[in-house]
Amino acid sequence: MKNYFKLGIKHGNTVAQILFFSCLVFLNSCKNNEDKTTTPKSTNTVKAQKTVYASHVIPFFNHWKLILGDGSNAGIANNFEHKDFFYTTNDGKNNWVVFKAPNGGDTHGTSNNTRTELAQAKKWYPKTANDKLEATLKVMNVSATGDARVAASYAIVVGQIHSADKHENEPLKIFYKKFPGHKKGSVFWHYEINTDGEDNSKRWDYSTAVWGHNFSVVGDTENTYPEEPEDGIALGEEFSYKVEVKNGIMSLTFSSKGHPTKTFTKNLLVSSYTTKDSIPAQTQALFVPIGQDGVERKNAYAGEGCFFKLGAYNQTNGKSPEVNKNWCSGAETHNGNIQKQYADGNYAEVWFKTASITVSNTAVSNQGYFDKND
């Protein structure tokens, strides 16, 4: 009995030891399993976010060369962005292509104004044209400063037809303009005469309102503004334009939700302004007083290669209004410092959601224009 008791105690100690070590092994196993499930693995396999380029949003960039807000030509802008001037953004619903241009800086060609703008790589001739440009956009910013008496202040051009030849004038400029303190701005379009003769300094524009005012409505003083247009377009409000040139006739269509659709036509082959008496009253008031009182050649833009432009062509600049009271805004430019201009609102910005272009078979290379102006 005594021996059995001793053996029992020894056996009991052995069982206790086994149970103790088994618990330790189990607990350690649980800990290891817990570590495996809560400790993340290496993140080396996480992929970088893919850049959405403008050419992904609007796939038509083979037709254009991109001029940037520093005056440079970026060329064909497939898979390209520039964070100061040209990039994409998303408003929570759609991707948009952003065109941005400061009030002051290096400019392209002979212009006084900066632009981030597409210029068509081919040119076409109005008489044989069957060419079309369409776009849906919203203007997000116009200059915060400028002289209200200057017609170009607070304005931006969002689409054009430009001549590539001789005077390189513009049979079409589509404008948006909004005065400070106003909720709504104006959309209007311009026809610029193709001046007769060799002296182009006497050229002038004729402005037609789409929604709101035309170009000629200005302030009485540097810092007072005309009445806000009741039927205008607000910053951030979408509108669309369609420009078609066929057999010498330019046809324009403007549309926007909540606004009447407007249509216009203009003959690009036969001038309406061949004599001094034919200069419109609006032009008599706006341009003639500063010596821009020319007449147009009889066949207008016939025989000249023309091309489309699209983007943000800022019409507000820092030049003194004493130089030209219609085009020189005297706005803040911070001596060309782009970031300072962007910080205090002295820039133009346009977002495009969609755009398309139709190019006729008779169109030819526009390289000569870029050779002259780049």
mmCIF file with all atom_site columns, all heavy atoms in Angstrom, residues 240-257:
data_model
loop_
_atom_site.group_PDB
_atom_site.id
_atom_site.type_symbol
_atom_site.label_atom_id
_atom_site.label_alt_id
_atom_site.label_comp_id
_atom_site.label_asym_id
_atom_site.label_entity_id
_atom_site.label_seq_id
_atom_site.pdbx_PDB_ins_code
_atom_site.Cartn_x
_atom_site.Cartn_y
_atom_site.Cartn_z
_atom_site.occupancy
_atom_site.B_iso_or_equiv
_atom_site.pdbx_formal_charge
_atom_site.auth_seq_id
_atom_site.auth_comp_id
_atom_site.auth_asym_id
_atom_site.auth_atom_id
_atom_site.pdbx_PDB_model_num
ATOM 1   N N   . SER A 1 240 ? -22.909 74.786 -73.799 1.00 0.00 ? 240 SER A N   1
ATOM 2   C CA  . SER A 1 240 ? -22.308 74.118 -74.955 1.00 0.00 ? 240 SER A CA  1
ATOM 3   C C   . SER A 1 240 ? -22.328 75.038 -76.157 1.00 0.00 ? 240 SER A C   1
ATOM 4   O O   . SER A 1 240 ? -23.192 75.907 -76.287 1.00 0.00 ? 240 SER A O   1
ATOM 5   C CB  . SER A 1 240 ? -23.083 72.837 -75.296 1.00 0.00 ? 240 SER A CB  1
ATOM 6   O OG  . SER A 1 240 ? -23.077 71.922 -74.221 1.00 0.00 ? 240 SER A OG  1
ATOM 7   N N   . TYR A 1 241 ? -21.352 74.829 -77.037 1.00 0.00 ? 241 TYR A N   1
ATOM 8   C CA  . TYR A 1 241 ? -21.381 75.518 -78.319 1.00 0.00 ? 241 TYR A CA  1
ATOM 9   C C   . TYR A 1 241 ? -21.062 74.535 -79.442 1.00 0.00 ? 241 TYR A C   1
ATOM 10  O O   . TYR A 1 241 ? -20.366 73.542 -79.249 1.00 0.00 ? 241 TYR A O   1
ATOM 11  C CB  . TYR A 1 241 ? -20.433 76.721 -78.364 1.00 0.00 ? 241 TYR A CB  1
ATOM 12  C CG  . TYR A 1 241 ? -18.955 76.440 -78.177 1.00 0.00 ? 241 TYR A CG  1
ATOM 13  C CD1 . TYR A 1 241 ? -18.178 75.868 -79.190 1.00 0.00 ? 241 TYR A CD1 1
ATOM 14  C CD2 . TYR A 1 241 ? -18.296 76.810 -77.001 1.00 0.00 ? 241 TYR A CD2 1
ATOM 15  C CE1 . TYR A 1 241 ? -16.825 75.651 -79.036 1.00 0.00 ? 241 TYR A CE1 1
ATOM 16  C CE2 . TYR A 1 241 ? -16.936 76.590 -76.845 1.00 0.00 ? 241 TYR A CE2 1
ATOM 17  C CZ  . TYR A 1 241 ? -16.207 76.006 -77.862 1.00 0.00 ? 241 TYR A CZ  1
ATOM 18  O OH  . TYR A 1 241 ? -14.860 75.787 -77.706 1.00 0.00 ? 241 TYR A OH  1
ATOM 19  N N   . LYS A 1 242 ? -21.634 74.817 -80.602 1.00 0.00 ? 242 LYS A N   1
ATOM 20  C CA  . LYS A 1 242 ? -21.321 74.078 -81.826 1.00 0.00 ? 242 LYS A CA  1
ATOM 21  C C   . LYS A 1 242 ? -21.002 75.093 -82.905 1.00 0.00 ? 242 LYS A C   1
ATOM 22  O O   . LYS A 1 242 ? -21.782 76.018 -83.153 1.00 0.00 ? 242 LYS A O   1
ATOM 23  C CB  . LYS A 1 242 ? -22.494 73.196 -82.251 1.00 0.00 ? 242 LYS A CB  1
ATOM 24  C CG  . LYS A 1 242 ? -22.230 72.422 -83.543 1.00 0.00 ? 242 LYS A CG  1
ATOM 25  C CD  . LYS A 1 242 ? -23.292 71.371 -83.822 1.00 0.00 ? 242 LYS A CD  1
ATOM 26  C CE  . LYS A 1 242 ? -24.621 71.976 -84.172 1.00 0.00 ? 242 LYS A CE  1
ATOM 27  N NZ  . LYS A 1 242 ? -25.608 70.946 -84.588 1.00 0.00 ? 242 LYS A NZ  1
ATOM 28  N N   . VAL A 1 243 ? -19.856 74.923 -83.531 1.00 0.00 ? 243 VAL A N   1
ATOM 29  C CA  . VAL A 1 243 ? -19.407 75.808 -84.604 1.00 0.00 ? 243 VAL A CA  1
ATOM 30  C C   . VAL A 1 243 ? -19.234 74.960 -85.855 1.00 0.00 ? 243 VAL A C   1
ATOM 31  O O   . VAL A 1 243 ? -18.473 73.985 -85.855 1.00 0.00 ? 243 VAL A O   1
ATOM 32  C CB  . VAL A 1 243 ? -18.069 76.487 -84.250 1.00 0.00 ? 243 VAL A CB  1
ATOM 33  C CG1 . VAL A 1 243 ? -17.633 77.415 -85.383 1.00 0.00 ? 243 VAL A CG1 1
ATOM 34  C CG2 . VAL A 1 243 ? -18.156 77.222 -82.927 1.00 0.00 ? 243 VAL A CG2 1
ATOM 35  N N   . GLU A 1 244 ? -19.927 75.322 -86.899 1.00 0.00 ? 244 GLU A N   1
ATOM 36  C CA  . GLU A 1 244 ? -19.829 74.575 -88.156 1.00 0.00 ? 244 GLU A CA  1
ATOM 37  C C   . GLU A 1 244 ? -19.591 75.544 -89.300 1.00 0.00 ? 244 GLU A C   1
ATOM 38  O O   . GLU A 1 244 ? -20.285 76.566 -89.412 1.00 0.00 ? 244 GLU A O   1
ATOM 39  C CB  . GLU A 1 244 ? -21.103 73.778 -88.402 1.00 0.00 ? 244 GLU A CB  1
ATOM 40  C CG  . GLU A 1 244 ? -21.034 72.853 -89.608 1.00 0.00 ? 244 GLU A CG  1
ATOM 41  C CD  . GLU A 1 244 ? -22.228 71.930 -89.702 1.00 0.00 ? 244 GLU A CD  1
ATOM 42  O OE1 . GLU A 1 244 ? -23.208 72.143 -88.961 1.00 0.00 ? 244 GLU A OE1 1
ATOM 43  O OE2 . GLU A 1 244 ? -22.202 70.992 -90.529 1.00 0.00 ? 244 GLU A OE2 1
ATOM 44  N N   . VAL A 1 245 ? -18.604 75.232 -90.143 1.00 0.00 ? 245 VAL A N   1
ATOM 45  C CA  . VAL A 1 245 ? -18.334 76.028 -91.340 1.00 0.00 ? 245 VAL A CA  1
ATOM 46  C C   . VAL A 1 245 ? -18.496 75.112 -92.543 1.00 0.00 ? 245 VAL A C   1
ATOM 47  O O   . VAL A 1 245 ? -17.805 74.097 -92.667 1.00 0.00 ? 245 VAL A O   1
ATOM 48  C CB  . VAL A 1 245 ? -16.928 76.650 -91.319 1.00 0.00 ? 245 VAL A CB  1
ATOM 49  C CG1 . VAL A 1 245 ? -16.697 77.488 -92.580 1.00 0.00 ? 245 VAL A CG1 1
ATOM 50  C CG2 . VAL A 1 245 ? -16.732 77.504 -90.076 1.00 0.00 ? 245 VAL A CG2 1
ATOM 51  N N   . LYS A 1 246 ? -19.431 75.476 -93.419 1.00 0.00 ? 246 LYS A N   1
ATOM 52  C CA  . LYS A 1 246 ? -19.710 74.659 -94.600 1.00 0.00 ? 246 LYS A CA  1
ATOM 53  C C   . LYS A 1 246 ? -20.047 75.570 -95.766 1.00 0.00 ? 246 LYS A C   1
ATOM 54  O O   . LYS A 1 246 ? -20.904 76.455 -95.646 1.00 0.00 ? 246 LYS A O   1
ATOM 55  C CB  . LYS A 1 246 ? -20.872 73.713 -94.320 1.00 0.00 ? 246 LYS A CB  1
ATOM 56  C CG  . LYS A 1 246 ? -21.125 72.697 -95.419 1.00 0.00 ? 246 LYS A CG  1
ATOM 57  C CD  . LYS A 1 246 ? -22.189 71.690 -94.987 1.00 0.00 ? 246 LYS A CD  1
ATOM 58  C CE  . LYS A 1 246 ? -22.405 70.635 -96.057 1.00 0.00 ? 246 LYS A CE  1
ATOM 59  N NZ  . LYS A 1 246 ? -23.423 69.634 -95.626 1.00 0.00 ? 246 LYS A NZ  1
ATOM 60  N N   . ASN A 1 247 ? -19.325 75.381 -96.856 1.00 0.00 ? 247 ASN A N   1
ATOM 61  C CA  . ASN A 1 247 ? -19.559 76.173 -98.079 1.00 0.00 ? 247 ASN A CA  1
ATOM 62  C C   . ASN A 1 247 ? -19.531 77.674 -97.796 1.00 0.00 ? 247 ASN A C   1
ATOM 63  O O   . ASN A 1 247 ? -20.332 78.441 -98.332 1.00 0.00 ? 247 ASN A O   1
ATOM 64  C CB  . ASN A 1 247 ? -20.885 75.783 -98.730 1.00 0.00 ? 247 ASN A CB  1
ATOM 65  C CG  . ASN A 1 247 ? -20.916 74.309 -99.116 1.00 0.00 ? 247 ASN A CG  1
ATOM 66  O OD1 . ASN A 1 247 ? -19.893 73.744 -99.498 1.00 0.00 ? 247 ASN A OD1 1
ATOM 67  N ND2 . ASN A 1 247 ? -22.077 73.693 -99.007 1.00 0.00 ? 247 ASN A ND2 1
ATOM 68  N N   . GLY A 1 248 ? -18.615 78.085 -96.934 1.00 0.00 ? 248 GLY A N   1
ATOM 69  C CA  . GLY A 1 248 ? -18.411 79.505 -96.672 1.00 0.00 ? 248 GLY A CA  1
ATOM 70  C C   . GLY A 1 248 ? -19.292 80.109 -95.599 1.00 0.00 ? 248 GLY A C   1
ATOM 71  O O   . GLY A 1 248 ? -19.103 81.274 -95.232 1.00 0.00 ? 248 GLY A O   1
ATOM 72  N N   . ILE A 1 249 ? -20.258 79.359 -95.067 1.00 0.00 ? 249 ILE A N   1
ATOM 73  C CA  . ILE A 1 249 ? -21.169 79.880 -94.043 1.00 0.00 ? 249 ILE A CA  1
ATOM 74  C C   . ILE A 1 249 ? -20.782 79.323 -92.679 1.00 0.00 ? 249 ILE A C   1
ATOM 75  O O   . ILE A 1 249 ? -20.668 78.108 -92.501 1.00 0.00 ? 249 ILE A O   1
ATOM 76  C CB  . ILE A 1 249 ? -22.636 79.517 -94.360 1.00 0.00 ? 249 ILE A CB  1
ATOM 77  C CG1 . ILE A 1 249 ? -23.027 80.028 -95.750 1.00 0.00 ? 249 ILE A CG1 1
ATOM 78  C CG2 . ILE A 1 249 ? -23.558 80.084 -93.291 1.00 0.00 ? 249 ILE A CG2 1
ATOM 79  C CD1 . ILE A 1 249 ? -22.934 81.525 -95.925 1.00 0.00 ? 249 ILE A CD1 1
ATOM 80  N N   . MET A 1 250 ? -20.599 80.214 -91.729 1.00 0.00 ? 250 MET A N   1
ATOM 81  C CA  . MET A 1 250 ? -20.344 79.816 -90.338 1.00 0.00 ? 250 MET A CA  1
ATOM 82  C C   . MET A 1 250 ? -21.673 79.775 -89.590 1.00 0.00 ? 250 MET A C   1
ATOM 83  O O   . MET A 1 250 ? -22.399 80.777 -89.543 1.00 0.00 ? 250 MET A O   1
ATOM 84  C CB  . MET A 1 250 ? -19.399 80.816 -89.667 1.00 0.00 ? 250 MET A CB  1
ATOM 85  C CG  . MET A 1 250 ? -19.140 80.529 -88.197 1.00 0.00 ? 250 MET A CG  1
ATOM 86  S SD  . MET A 1 250 ? -17.939 81.675 -87.449 1.00 0.00 ? 250 MET A SD  1
ATOM 87  C CE  . MET A 1 250 ? -18.883 83.211 -87.426 1.00 0.00 ? 250 MET A CE  1
ATOM 88  N N   . SER A 1 251 ? -21.995 78.624 -89.008 1.00 0.00 ? 251 SER A N   1
ATOM 89  C CA  . SER A 1 251 ? -23.217 78.457 -88.228 1.00 0.00 ? 251 SER A CA  1
ATOM 90  C C   . SER A 1 251 ? -22.855 78.185 -86.781 1.00 0.00 ? 251 SER A C   1
ATOM 91  O O   . SER A 1 251 ? -21.988 77.347 -86.485 1.00 0.00 ? 251 SER A O   1
ATOM 92  C CB  . SER A 1 251 ? -24.049 77.289 -88.780 1.00 0.00 ? 251 SER A CB  1
ATOM 93  O OG  . SER A 1 251 ? -24.417 77.508 -90.121 1.00 0.00 ? 251 SER A OG  1
ATOM 94  N N   . LEU A 1 252 ? -23.531 78.893 -85.859 1.00 0.00 ? 252 LEU A N   1
ATOM 95  C CA  . LEU A 1 252 ? -23.247 78.781 -84.428 1.00 0.00 ? 252 LEU A CA  1
ATOM 96  C C   . LEU A 1 252 ? -24.510 78.376 -83.688 1.00 0.00 ? 252 LEU A C   1
ATOM 97  O O   . LEU A 1 252 ? -25.591 78.908 -83.952 1.00 0.00 ? 252 LEU A O   1
ATOM 98  C CB  . LEU A 1 252 ? -22.765 80.122 -83.871 1.00 0.00 ? 252 LEU A CB  1
ATOM 99  C CG  . LEU A 1 252 ? -21.608 80.814 -84.587 1.00 0.00 ? 252 LEU A CG  1
ATOM 100 C CD1 . LEU A 1 252 ? -21.345 82.181 -83.962 1.00 0.00 ? 252 LEU A CD1 1
ATOM 101 C CD2 . LEU A 1 252 ? -20.349 79.960 -84.547 1.00 0.00 ? 252 LEU A CD2 1
ATOM 102 N N   . THR A 1 253 ? -24.348 77.450 -82.743 1.00 0.00 ? 253 THR A N   1
ATOM 103 C CA  . THR A 1 253 ? -25.448 77.053 -81.868 1.00 0.00 ? 253 THR A CA  1
ATOM 104 C C   . THR A 1 253 ? -24.941 77.054 -80.436 1.00 0.00 ? 253 THR A C   1
ATOM 105 O O   . THR A 1 253 ? -23.904 76.453 -80.137 1.00 0.00 ? 253 THR A O   1
ATOM 106 C CB  . THR A 1 253 ? -25.979 75.653 -82.226 1.00 0.00 ? 253 THR A CB  1
ATOM 107 O OG1 . THR A 1 253 ? -26.403 75.638 -83.582 1.00 0.00 ? 253 THR A OG1 1
ATOM 108 C CG2 . THR A 1 253 ? -27.153 75.275 -81.330 1.00 0.00 ? 253 THR A CG2 1
ATOM 109 N N   . PHE A 1 254 ? -25.678 77.720 -79.545 1.00 0.00 ? 254 PHE A N   1
ATOM 110 C CA  . PHE A 1 254 ? -25.344 77.778 -78.119 1.00 0.00 ? 254 PHE A CA  1
ATOM 111 C C   . PHE A 1 254 ? -26.510 77.207 -77.321 1.00 0.00 ? 254 PHE A C   1
ATOM 112 O O   . PHE A 1 254 ? -27.667 77.576 -77.548 1.00 0.00 ? 254 PHE A O   1
ATOM 113 C CB  . PHE A 1 254 ? -25.086 79.221 -77.683 1.00 0.00 ? 254 PHE A CB  1
ATOM 114 C CG  . PHE A 1 254 ? -23.918 79.869 -78.352 1.00 0.00 ? 254 PHE A CG  1
ATOM 115 C CD1 . PHE A 1 254 ? -24.078 80.562 -79.553 1.00 0.00 ? 254 PHE A CD1 1
ATOM 116 C CD2 . PHE A 1 254 ? -22.650 79.795 -77.806 1.00 0.00 ? 254 PHE A CD2 1
ATOM 117 C CE1 . PHE A 1 254 ? -23.004 81.173 -80.181 1.00 0.00 ? 254 PHE A CE1 1
ATOM 118 C CE2 . PHE A 1 254 ? -21.558 80.402 -78.425 1.00 0.00 ? 254 PHE A CE2 1
ATOM 119 C CZ  . PHE A 1 254 ? -21.736 81.091 -79.615 1.00 0.00 ? 254 PHE A CZ  1
ATOM 120 N N   . SER A 1 255 ? -26.218 76.345 -76.351 1.00 0.00 ? 255 SER A N   1
ATOM 121 C CA  . SER A 1 255 ? -27.270 75.747 -75.534 1.00 0.00 ? 255 SER A CA  1
ATOM 122 C C   . SER A 1 255 ? -26.803 75.610 -74.093 1.00 0.00 ? 255 SER A C   1
ATOM 123 O O   . SER A 1 255 ? -25.614 75.440 -73.816 1.00 0.00 ? 255 SER A O   1
ATOM 124 C CB  . SER A 1 255 ? -27.684 74.377 -76.085 1.00 0.00 ? 255 SER A CB  1
ATOM 125 O OG  . SER A 1 255 ? -26.575 73.501 -76.133 1.00 0.00 ? 255 SER A OG  1
ATOM 126 N N   . SER A 1 256 ? -27.775 75.698 -73.164 1.00 0.00 ? 256 SER A N   1
ATOM 127 C CA  . SER A 1 256 ? -27.513 75.539 -71.747 1.00 0.00 ? 256 SER A CA  1
ATOM 128 C C   . SER A 1 256 ? -28.838 75.245 -71.052 1.00 0.00 ? 256 SER A C   1
ATOM 129 O O   . SER A 1 256 ? -29.868 75.853 -71.390 1.00 0.00 ? 256 SER A O   1
ATOM 130 C CB  . SER A 1 256 ? -26.881 76.806 -71.150 1.00 0.00 ? 256 SER A CB  1
ATOM 131 O OG  . SER A 1 256 ? -26.625 76.647 -69.765 1.00 0.00 ? 256 SER A OG  1
ATOM 132 N N   . LYS A 1 257 ? -28.821 74.335 -70.097 1.00 0.00 ? 257 LYS A N   1
ATOM 133 C CA  . LYS A 1 257 ? -30.038 73.971 -69.373 1.00 0.00 ? 257 LYS A CA  1
ATOM 134 C C   . LYS A 1 257 ? -30.627 75.205 -68.693 1.00 0.00 ? 257 LYS A C   1
ATOM 135 O O   . LYS A 1 257 ? -29.927 75.948 -68.011 1.00 0.00 ? 257 LYS A O   1
ATOM 136 C CB  . LYS A 1 257 ? -29.722 72.900 -68.334 1.00 0.00 ? 257 LYS A CB  1
ATOM 137 C CG  . LYS A 1 257 ? -30.949 72.366 -67.609 1.00 0.00 ? 257 LYS A CG  1
ATOM 138 C CD  . LYS A 1 257 ? -30.558 71.261 -66.631 1.00 0.00 ? 257 LYS A CD  1
ATOM 139 C CE  . LYS A 1 257 ? -31.786 70.728 -65.891 1.00 0.00 ? 257 LYS A CE  1
ATOM 140 N NZ  . LYS A 1 257 ? -31.426 69.651 -64.927 1.00 0.00 ? 257 LYS A NZ  1
#
